[in-house]
Amino acid sequence: HDTSPLVSDAVVRTLHNQHPTLRIAASAEVTRRGLFDPAADSLEHLLRTDPFWQVRRAAVNALAADPDDARRWRITFAATDPHWRVRYALAQ
């Protein structure tokens, strides 16, 4: 539960890791730690381009938890996602 800038930076950088399970875990950590400011662009990138629907769904969940209304609109990209579970996460 370290809140140092080094750990926060590591969480945000992990959103770009080659392993999908780490990207999913990092998305959850962004929400848990409230790292929405530094992670917003990376989460949107995951939502738009990641090949794994599980990662895109995690990005939707993280973006939906963002308290900033302007950034939260980024989840609308999930409306046209090819996988129904990502679209369902948007509906929730």
Side-chain angles (χ1 to χ4, degrees):
H1 302 317
D2 189 354
T3 59
S4 71
L6 181 64
V7 172
S8 298
D9 185 54
V11 169
V12 173
R13 286 176 180 257
T14 305
L15 291 170
H16 300 282
N17 193 284
Q18 66 179 348
H19 301 289
T21 54
L22 291 177
R23 294 193 303 270
I24 292 167
S27 296
E29 277 301 300
V30 164
T31 302
R32 191 176 79 74
R33 293 174 183 265
L35 301 173
F36 301 109
D37 287 334
D41 291 336
S42 297
L43 290 170
E44 180 182 349
H45 179 74
L46 289 178
L47 176 58
R48 295 176 120 190
T49 63
D50 202 274
F52 297 97
W53 67 265
Q54 297 93 334
V55 175
R56 296 192 310 271
R57 180 179 62 184
V60 167
N61 291 334
L63 287 168
D66 191 337
D68 185 299
D69 290 333
R71 284 193 310 253
R72 200 174 319 126
W73 278 100
R74 296 175 183 215
I75 64 173
T76 58
F77 293 113
T80 58
D81 194 273
H83 200 282
W84 70 270
R85 291 187 184 198
V86 177
R87 295 189 308 270
Y88 184 74
L90 173 64
Q92 288 183 325

